[in-house]
Amino acid sequence: MPAKLPKLRRLLWPCAWLYGVGVRIRNLFFDRGLLPSRSYPVPVICVGNLTAGGSGKTPMVEYLVRLLKERYRTGVLSRGYKRKTRGYVLAGDESTGSDIGDESSQIKYKYPDVTVAVDANRRRGIRNLLALPEDRRPQVILLDDGFQHRYVRPSLSLLITDCGRLYCRDRLLPAGWLREPASGADRAEVVVVSKCDASLSPAESRNIRDALNLNPQQSLFFSSIAYLPFRGVFPEACAPGALDSLQKDDSILLVTGIARPAPLIEAVKKRSERVEVMSFADHHAFGKKDIRRMKTALQRMAPTRPLILCTEKDAARIRHNPCFPEAWRSRMYYVPVEVKILFDRSEQLDELVLQHVRFLIENMNYTATR
């Protein structure tokens, strides 16, 4: 965020100050034990951030899922943001974004063998996960966006901060985007600077390291987002090899409903010189009015038959959205993303996490399934 705040943000500074007082008192109560924070007899790894909006938490959760799922029974617990259900919900094969939220639906779709659940009350969610039958009970629980849920004491915390919006250069809500003061980062054992340019230089990384000014015991990693080959939103409707002949002059209607679409837009424009973009708010629920806008855009792009492209998170909503015409299914694709750890340090991060899990499981007498 620029040092000079827009006028409206400056006017909101008194509100941010009051908000900060409340958050600091809350954190103090947890730090002093005046509010209870509970630990659990399994490794609980929290992936969170200090800011509102997308910083890349879910791709990092998926990174950990890929690392852990072949070694341990892995569960993912999140709030299930913008779902239409309440309380604890255990995801099934037919669960939709309305049932469990976009991110949880995306994870369950990609990793069907992983246990996924949602509950705004994380303590209740963990309790229900640990009450599952032994063959389904998670040996490791990943908390997606759980950094401010301090009633749970994670065994390991990974704090994600967007390279373009570092928490140390931000301000508290509503004058900025911080959910809590930057000092909250001290609770994290690992800090990951996300969404870096893949060509980030060592000098640039040192500048970021200096700005964050972490404690000596904290580990710092840098990551970028890799955009993988397009995949069908409705794979059964897409012809095999349909994308093999995609040319630079082919048309693409790119539809996004994420917090920061700019990097994706840039990546897609490298694939085609004819890209029309329709951006919506994060977690946007597509309705009939949006479909009419898309139809108008597709007609404007005629006589070509444009590819309709969306984000991976949007695909989780679109699959179960009856508003989208069935005739579009054969040309609807999404862009999968993966986290890449920079400077050849992925093995170090992997070993840090695995060593933590191994140590706790061995000392808790849990047996890993290999």
Side-chain angles (χ1 to χ4, degrees):
M1 176 177 290
K4 186 175 180 181
L5 285 169
K7 185 176 180 180
L8 178 59
R9 293 282 190 180
R10 292 199 302 271
L11 293 174
L12 292 172
W13 180 246
C15 299
W17 183 86
L18 290 172
Y19 172 77
V21 169
V23 173
R24 286 183 174 90
I25 291 173
R26 179 179 185 269
N27 280 337
L28 180 64
F29 279 16
F30 278 109
D31 294 340
R32 298 288 176 85
L34 299 175
L35 286 174
S37 185
R38 182 177 177 182
S39 55
Y40 293 85
V42 293
V44 176
I45 302 176
C46 172
V47 178
N49 63 5
L50 294 182
T51 57
S55 61
K57 297 183 297 297
T58 300
M60 192 69 225
V61 170
E62 292 184 354
Y63 179 98
L64 295 176
V65 167
R66 291 191 295 274
L67 173 66
L68 295 167
K69 70 184 181 69
E70 300 302 327
R71 298 172 172 87
Y72 306 99
R73 293 191 302 272
T74 302
V76 178
L77 177 64
S78 74
R79 171 187 171 189
Y81 184 63
K82 286 213 169 183
R83 62 188 170 115
K84 295 181 179 179
T85 56
R86 291 176 177 269
Y88 172 80
V89 178
L90 182 65
D93 294 339
E94 302 301 320
S95 295
T96 68
S98 296
D99 301 326
I100 58 174
D102 299 342
E103 289 89 350
S104 299
S105 178
Q106 173 182 313
I107 292 171
K108 188 63 179 176
Y109 181 81
K110 292 175 74 171
Y111 308 104
D113 295 334
V114 169
T115 300
V116 176
V118 295
D119 199 336
N121 183 329
R122 304 305 172 88
R123 290 174 66 167
R124 180 177 60 195
I126 293 174
R127 185 168 65 247
N128 283 326
L129 285 174
L130 296 182
L132 290 172
E134 185 175 355
D135 61 336
R136 298 178 61 198
R137 184 185 310 142
Q139 296 170 300
V140 183
I141 295 175
L142 303 176
L143 289 184
D144 187 359
D145 195 14
F147 201 71
Q148 283 74 40
H149 294 268
R150 297 201 60 188
Y151 288 100
V152 171
R153 184 183 301 129
S155 59
L156 180 71
S157 287
L158 280 69
L159 181 70
I160 315 301
T161 183
D162 189 324
C163 183
R165 201 172 73 186
L166 297 174
Y167 64 79
C168 60
R169 296 171 180 166
D170 210 337
R171 294 170 173 84
L172 285 168
L173 290 165
W177 295 102
L178 287 182
R179 297 172 170 179
E180 61 174 299
S183 59
D186 293 344
R187 301 196 305 273
E189 289 81 15
V190 177
V191 175
V192 180
V193 181
S194 64
K195 301 184 181 180
C196 299
D197 191 295
S199 61
L200 184 75
S201 70
E204 290 170 320
S205 70
R206 283 194 296 271
N207 290 337
I208 294 173
R209 180 185 296 271
D210 292 344
L212 293 174
N213 191 27
L214 301 181
N215 298 324
Q217 68 272 20
Q218 292 178 296
S219 299
L220 178 64
F221 295 88
F222 296 85
S223 71
S224 64
I225 291 292
Y227 296 101
L228 305 182
F230 303 162
R231 296 179 188 170
V233 176
F234 304 95
E236 69 283 355
C238 298
L243 297 177
D244 294 345
S245 59
L246 184 65
Q247 304 295 319
K248 290 282 285 184
D249 59 350
D250 287 338
S251 300
I252 294 177
L253 175 61
L254 176 59
V255 180
T256 72
I258 56 176
R260 291 187 61 226
L264 173 62
I265 294 170
E266 182 180 351
V268 172
K269 286 185 175 180
K270 291 179 181 178
R271 292 286 305 270
S272 171
E273 295 173 350
R274 302 180 64 185
V275 179
E276 182 160 342
V277 180
M278 295 182 67
S279 294
F280 299 88
D282 197 15
H283 297 275
H284 181 72
F286 297 102
K288 293 180 179 179
K289 182 178 178 181
D290 304 316
I291 302 302
R292 287 196 294 269
R293 285 184 58 195
M294 291 179 204
K295 285 182 178 178
T296 300
L298 292 171
Q299 291 168 358
R300 189 166 56 245
M301 299 168 78
T304 61
R305 191 171 184 269
L307 198 70
I308 305 170
L309 192 63
C310 66
T311 71
E312 190 167 17
K313 189 165 73 172
D314 293 321
R317 291 193 300 279
I318 290 172
R319 283 189 193 98
H320 303 279
N321 189 324
C323 294
F324 282 82
E326 192 166 340
W328 289 2
R329 293 189 172 195
S330 63
R331 51 172 167 159
M332 292 195 71
Y333 292 83
Y334 68 92
V335 189
V337 299
E338 279 189 3
V339 164
K340 298 294 182 184
I341 305 300
L342 302 181
F343 306 118
D344 295 321
R345 296 192 66 214
S346 59
E347 289 186 8
Q348 294 180 45
L349 177 58
D350 293 356
E351 186 53 32
L352 185 156
V353 173
L354 291 173
Q355 188 175 33
H356 169 82
V357 172
R358 280 196 302 265
F359 175 81
L360 289 186
I361 286 180
E362 288 170 5
N363 284 275
M364 294 170 182
N365 297 320
Y366 273 76
T367 304
T369 57
R370 298 180 185 277

